[in-house]
């Protein structure tokens, strides 16, 4: 087992605390690791939020995730995937293996594949784009109606937070980000047909499993327009191409293959809007470990894409609605309700009832 000292010490993650104190086999007995050696590798860690461990025990290879918040929604999603994908081939998601609800600790199968960003770096951009398109077509048809609603308003909120972060780091970045944010607000698309969306479909979350794509890291899933995931995938391709000149041509090939493969599934202008919003988000994330010039490149790219969106047009002014002629029955019910009818409504009642008396029977 990996030395406990190498694992984060985070009291906000009760599952991690239990693993550090007793070992994974005792913390999660339902996983059935037995008494043999267990190797742990830290894959990802967000302090106070979550940690992901790669686990090897004999011939077993699994992922264990510990959360600060209740992961029950993610657990239910994996169970829904198991039912929806039973007997399916060609795409994959992790399988739920065990979970400890009180510890907010879950174990899932390890998907062994090549992330799409590595495909691009290895000169297989077209393959990366084709896999992403295959995934989106397949997930769009899944009867999984779980997760909170996502839409353009949620993305604008995230853009607002990113603008604030960029502005705090650098005034020039802040001005550029704000300009994109204003343009996004002015071209906000309608909330499209809701489907299951991953929420953070970075290229590294899409894996080439040989016979098709697999997708990992589902903690931000929800229901929203398919362009949310498409826009984020393309934004990460843009980031890859902008950060590494040597990968730009393969990133372009991946994009071309993706757009060809999703023709008829996504709306191009709506996709441009979500891609621009995702680029602002990625620019803010770069502040943690990259110099501002790279963030500026992403904001410049976001500005170009929001110009292509042209989703929002000036809406006609909203005129006062004409007076509604309510039926006599509606007005009588209003008069008898706990909210008394107004004198005007009572006068309308009398007039309508008089009209009904004078109307010849049919």
């Amino acid at each position: 087992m990996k030395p406990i000292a190498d694992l984060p010490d985070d009291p906000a993650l009760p599952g991690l605390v239990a693993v550090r104190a007793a070992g994974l086999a005792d913390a999660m007995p339902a996983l059935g690791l037995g008494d043999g050696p267990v190797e742990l590798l830290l894959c990802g860690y967000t302090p106070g939020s979550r940690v992901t461990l790669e686990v090897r025990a004999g011939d077993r290879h699994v992922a264990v995730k510990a959360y600060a918040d209740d992961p029950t929604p993610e657990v239910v999603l994996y169970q829904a995937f198991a039912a929806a994908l039973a007997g399916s081939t060609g795409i994959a998601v992790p399988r739920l293996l065990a979970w400890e609800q009180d510890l907010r600790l879950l174990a899932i199968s390890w998907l062994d594949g090549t992330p799409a960003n590595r495909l691009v770096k290895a000169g297989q951009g077209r393959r990366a784009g084709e896999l992403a398109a295959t995934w989106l077509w397949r997930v769009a048809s899944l009867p999984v109606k779980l997760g909170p609603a996502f839409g353009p308003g949620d993305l604008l909120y995230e853009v607002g937070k990113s603008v604030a972060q960029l502005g705090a780091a650098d005034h020039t970045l802040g001005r550029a980000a704000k300009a994109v944010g204003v343009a996004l607000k002015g071209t906000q698309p309608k909330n499209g047909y809701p489907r299951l969306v991953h929420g953070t479909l970075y290229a590294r979350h899409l894996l080439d499993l040989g016979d098709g794509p697999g997708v990992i890291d589902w903690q931000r899933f929800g229901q929203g327009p398919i362009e949310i995931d498409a826009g984020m995938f393309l934004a990460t391709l843009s980031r890859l191409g902008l950060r590494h000149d040597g990968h730009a041509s393969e990133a372009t090939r991946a994009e071309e293959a993706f757009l060809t493969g999703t023709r008829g599934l996504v709306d191009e202008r709506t996709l441009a809007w979500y891609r621009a919003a995702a680029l602002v988000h990625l620019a803010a994330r770069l502040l943690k470990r990259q110099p501002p010039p790279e963030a500026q490149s992403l904001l410049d790219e976001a500005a170009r894409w929001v110009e292509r969106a042209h989703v929002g047009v000036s809406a006609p002014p909203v005129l006062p609605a004409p007076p509604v002629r309510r039926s006599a029955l509606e007005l009588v019910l209003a008069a008898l309700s706990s909210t008394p009818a107004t004198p005007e409504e009572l006068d309308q009642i009398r007039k309508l009832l008089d009209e009904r008396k004078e109307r010849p029977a049919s």
Side-chain angles (χ1 to χ4, degrees):
M1 176 174 166
K2 191 175 183 63
I4 294 299
D6 291 343
L7 298 180
D9 183 5
D10 193 334
L13 308 177
L16 181 60
V17 171
V19 171
R20 285 175 53 88
L24 180 60
D26 288 339
M28 184 170 267
L31 192 53
L33 293 178
D35 299 326
V38 177
E39 180 184 2
L40 303 180
L41 176 66
L42 182 66
C43 293
Y45 174 49
T46 302
S49 178
R50 62 186 179 272
V51 66
T52 301
L53 305 174
E54 180 181 357
V55 180
R56 292 182 180 272
D59 60 354
R60 300 187 65 184
H61 192 189
V62 304
V64 170
K65 308 177 85 172
Y67 290 95
D69 296 329
D70 182 9
T72 299
E74 188 175 344
V75 169
V76 174
L77 177 68
Y78 291 133
Q79 293 170 333
F81 273 138
L85 296 176
S88 297
T89 58
I91 68 167
V93 296
R95 292 179 294 106
L96 179 69
L97 302 176
W99 77 301
E100 298 291 336
Q101 185 172 13
D102 292 341
L103 293 177
R104 300 194 281 278
L105 187 67
L106 63 90
I108 54 178
S109 61
W110 185 270
L111 294 189
D112 195 6
T114 304
N117 60 327
R118 292 186 188 173
L119 290 176
V120 172
K121 294 176 182 179
Q124 300 181 60
R126 182 170 298 281
R127 172 68 174 170
E130 290 171 348
L131 285 168
T134 298
W135 169 259
L136 282 194
W137 274 108
R138 186 67 180 91
V139 78
S141 67
L142 290 180
V144 178
K145 304 298 181 183
L146 299 173
F150 284 169
D154 301 286
L155 270 293
L156 281 177
Y157 174 74
E158 294 297 328
V159 166
K161 292 198 299 184
S162 296
V163 169
Q165 293 166 3
L166 289 160
D170 183 275
H171 292 304
T172 301
L173 289 177
R175 286 193 297 270
K178 184 176 181 180
V180 176
V182 169
L184 286 167
K185 184 177 180 181
T187 57
Q188 180 176 339
K190 294 181 180 179
N191 199 354
Y193 182 79
R195 295 182 171 93
L196 178 67
V197 291
H198 182 275
T200 54
L201 191 63
Y202 304 154
R204 60 184 170 86
H205 290 156
L206 178 80
L207 307 180
D208 183 358
L209 302 179
D211 61 346
V215 174
I216 59 173
D217 287 357
W218 281 92
Q219 58 265 21
R220 295 289 301 276
F221 75 96
Q223 297 288 318
I226 202 76
E227 287 86 0
I228 290 177
D229 282 352
M232 180 58 77
F233 176 76
L234 290 175
T236 59
L237 290 181
S238 293
R239 179 178 62 178
L240 186 60
L242 290 169
R243 292 174 67 183
H244 305 280
D245 290 341
H247 304 323
S249 60
E250 285 302 320
T252 298
R253 290 188 182 94
E255 177 180 336
E256 291 171 348
F258 177 79
L259 293 175
T260 299
T262 55
R263 190 169 294 137
L265 177 63
V266 300
D267 177 81
E268 292 183 7
R269 293 180 301 173
T270 303
L271 176 57
W273 190 92
Y274 280 106
R275 182 175 186 172
L279 284 163
V280 176
H281 167 74
L282 295 179
R285 286 182 60 85
L286 279 180
L287 296 177
K288 298 178 180 180
R289 50 185 176 273
Q290 296 294 337
E294 295 197 30
Q296 184 63 58
S297 297
L298 289 176
L299 293 174
D300 292 341
E301 182 79 356
R304 288 191 287 272
W305 280 106
V306 77
E307 286 179 3
R308 300 187 192 185
H310 298 301
V311 179
V313 295
S314 298
V318 179
L319 302 175
V324 177
R325 185 180 178 87
R326 298 165 69 186
S327 71
L329 176 60
E330 288 174 315
L331 291 166
V332 170
L333 291 174
L336 296 175
S337 70
S338 58
T339 303
T342 64
E344 293 79 12
E345 288 176 328
L346 291 172
D347 186 58
Q348 290 182 40
I349 291 171
R350 284 190 290 270
K351 289 180 179 179
L352 287 168
L353 291 175
D354 288 341
E355 290 174 4
R356 289 178 65 85
K357 289 178 182 178
E358 296 171 1
R359 190 178 303 153
S362 55

